[in-house]
């Protein structure tokens, strides 16, 4: 049996071989170089180990262990968690993943069950070395990485790369970085969930297989150093198909006719607008100006009267608290933030900010989620706040329950919400920068609104008929007024540019009109239109489309958009 001699710089036959076990119960052989006498060592089991009992893993050093080591991903998270745990805990950051597939090769053995080949990057070796040194002396080790598949995988990679003793290692999970949540997590630790780790590895392997197959094709056919991937290629196809739709679109002319009426006996300012809906009982064909002119001339001669009035009530329910995708969409519409910017700010709010309470505190729950669930404790706090701030009339009888709309939603976490509604945006504004404040205010308002009652509208729809010897015309108008603001006292939804306005959203109809009341035609308002092509994707609308089609996960939307741009 040979081993490498560091002095001779060559392999030598082991002299006086002795079968041994390392501190971590790994079989090995110890001996001397026959040329220079230097001690040599070779790992691996040999026939000489037969019948030998391996020592308990790490038993020799466990007696000297003391203290508790906690490993998280980021320094900011480490500072916040460390403040809650106290001096007996040492909290260190891995700064993300500590090992990954090799960048220079496929790193997946497709002939051997697609086994991945991992390596600790050079820039992460000092981190791993420090963690390995601390882990050797710690009495207990807690892996407190993020509560998703990626966080679970980071925890597993830490154990593997830093040679952490699994017998004293526990996994802790919390969805918000607050003192009660951290205390609850450390009171109920668990083992690493290998199902989640394997799910992350499968996704990573798929990404590598697809990317390494497609990227070289792009380099040859399009341009060098372009990136392709399992999900981003699908997103890019959506954009290309939309662009082709726009290029192939042929606009078609059409017209609409509206009329301004003044109820009999009303003041001049009490006019309202109604739209031509039927002509002789059928939908009018208003294809061009030539076809519209005779109708306008005939409508000028008609006598108009209100034929039907319908009054009603409409409820507008609050939206669910934010998920990752809805947060990115609303931040894009309202604040003009890119998905990447939104997630970076949300990460800062999640990991903790000093708001004058003796140290950093997490302001929002975990921001990578497809769930709209809310804890009972958070709902109870929100209901108490709403009742005291806005009154009992703004509270629904029971706390609302929302269902996730995303296809294939796993709902493993809570919705994105403030860790405490008592941290009102204005009260902590001085501790946040402008972008952090605007995003936190948006999250706070959306969550508080989601726990409030619906807004109530009084609706009014009117049918006006006009009669001439040649034709009978039916024009319709509808409007609504807010009777009770409900959740809208806190938050109103922002809409995409291509969103269709609700019927009667901007209409104003006099409240005192009556059926049978004659109407004076003030003017006709013909308008030429052309059908419009589908709009190009914005970041908000692309994220919505990805989610609706089950493409990607909450953690991947921002990287997808960043790559394809």
């Amino acid at each position: 049996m040979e081993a490498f001699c560091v002095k001779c710089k060559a392999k030598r036959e082991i002299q006086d071989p002795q079968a041994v076990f390392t501190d971590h119960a790994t079989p090995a052989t110890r001996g001397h170089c026959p040329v220079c006498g230097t001690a040599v060592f070779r790992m691996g089991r040999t026939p000489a180990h037969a019948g030998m009992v391996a020592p308990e893993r790490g038993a020799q050093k466990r007696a000297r262990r003391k203290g508790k080591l906690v490993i998280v991903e980021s320094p900011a998270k480490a500072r916040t968690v460390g403040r809650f745990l106290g001096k007996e805990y040492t909290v260190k950051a891995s700064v993300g993943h500590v090992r990954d597939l090799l960048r220079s090769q496929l790193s997946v053995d497709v002939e051997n069950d697609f086994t991945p080949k991992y390596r600790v990057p050079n820039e992460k070796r000092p981190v791993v070395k420090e963690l390995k040194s601390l882990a050797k002396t710690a009495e207990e080790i807690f892996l407190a990485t993020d509560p998703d598949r990626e966080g679970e995988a980071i925890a597993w990679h830490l154990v593997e790369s830093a040679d952490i003793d699994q017998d004293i290692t526990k996994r802790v999970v919390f969805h918000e970085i607050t003192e009660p949540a951290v205390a609850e997590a450390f009171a109920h630790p668990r083992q690493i969930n290998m199902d989640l780790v394997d799910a992350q590895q499968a996704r990573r392997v798929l990404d590598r297989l697809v990317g390494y197959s497609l990227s070289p094709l792009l380099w040859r056919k399009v341009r060098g150093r372009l990136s392709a991937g399992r999900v981003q290629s699908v997103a890019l196809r959506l954009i290309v198909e939309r662009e082709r739709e726009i290029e192939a679109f042929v606009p078609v002319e059409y017209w609409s006719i509206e009329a301004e009426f003044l109820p009999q006996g009303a003041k001049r300012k009490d006019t309202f607008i109604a739209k031509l809906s039927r002509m002789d009982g059928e939908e009018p064909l208003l294809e061009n100006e030539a076809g519209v002119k005779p109708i306008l001339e005939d409508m000028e001669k008609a006598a108009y009267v209100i034929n039907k009035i319908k009054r009603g009530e409409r409820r507008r329910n609050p939206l669910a608290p934010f998920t990752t995708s809805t947060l990115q969409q609303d931040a894009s519409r309202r604040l003009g933030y890119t998905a990447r910017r939104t997630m970076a700010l949300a990460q800062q709010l999640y990991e903790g900010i000093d708001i004058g309470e003796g140290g950093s505190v997490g302001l929002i729950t975990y921001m990578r989620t497809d769930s709209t669930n809310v804890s009972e404790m958070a709902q109870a706090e929100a209901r108490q706040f709403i009742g005291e701030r806005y009154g009992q009339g703004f509270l629904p009888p029971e706390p609302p329950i929302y269902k996730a709309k995303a296809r294939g939603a796993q709902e493993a976490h809570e919705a994105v919400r403030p860790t405490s509604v008592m941290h009102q945006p204005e009260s902590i504004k001085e501790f946040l920068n402008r972008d952090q404040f605007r995003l936190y205010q948006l999250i706070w308002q959306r969550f508080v609104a989601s726990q409030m009652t619906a807004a109530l509208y009084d609706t009014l729809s009117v049918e006006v008929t006009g009669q001439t010897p040649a034709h009978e015309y039916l024009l319709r108008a509808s409007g609504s007024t807010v009777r009770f603001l409900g959740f809208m006292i806190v938050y109103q939804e922002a809409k995409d540019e291509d969103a269709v306005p609700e019927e009667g959203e901007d209409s104003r109809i006099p409240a005192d009109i009556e059926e049978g009341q004659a109407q004076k035609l003030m003017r006709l308002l013909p308008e030429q239109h052309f059908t419009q092509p589908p709009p190009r994707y914005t970041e908000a609308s692309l994220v919505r489309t990805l989610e609706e089609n089950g493409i990607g996960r909450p953690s991947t939307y921002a990287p997808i958009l960043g790559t394809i741009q």
Side-chain angles (χ1 to χ4, degrees), residues 440-491:
Y440 178 73
Q441 184 180 50
L442 188 64
I443 294 170
W444 187 92
Q445 290 175 341
R446 174 78 166 237
F447 171 66
V448 172
S450 74
Q451 304 303 305
M452 299 177 78
T453 53
L456 297 180
Y457 290 80
D458 289 322
T459 61
L460 176 64
S461 59
V462 177
E463 291 187 357
V464 179
T465 56
Q467 189 77 43
T468 69
H471 299 290
E472 182 180 16
Y473 301 98
L474 174 65
L475 298 95
R476 290 186 173 132
S478 61
S480 61
T481 55
V482 178
R483 187 205 311 169
F484 177 67
L485 279 171
F487 75 92
M488 290 169 55
I489 197 172
V490 175
Y491 171 91

Side-chain angles (χ1 to χ4, degrees), residues 2-16:
E2 292 183 331
F4 186 80
C5 176
V6 294
K7 188 171 182 180
C8 298
K9 294 185 171 29
K11 285 187 176 181
R12 303 293 190 194
E13 190 71 23
I14 300 177
Q15 186 176 10
D16 302 326

Side-chain angles (χ1 to χ4, degrees), residues 507-526:
S507 300
R508 184 177 58 83
I509 303 174
D512 56 351
I513 57 175
E514 302 173 352
E515 289 186 7
Q517 186 179 31
Q519 302 294 307
K520 180 181 179 182
L521 177 63
M522 304 299 291
R523 56 176 175 158
L524 292 172
L525 303 167

Side-chain angles (χ1 to χ4, degrees), residues 367-391:
M367 62 284 159
R368 296 185 183 92
T369 177
D370 55 16
S371 173
T372 54
N373 296 330
V374 176
S375 72
E376 293 182 2
M377 186 182 300
Q379 284 189 316
E381 185 187 51
R383 289 176 67 82
Q384 179 184 350
F385 172 83
I386 293 166
E388 293 175 356
R389 177 74 178 270
Y390 301 103

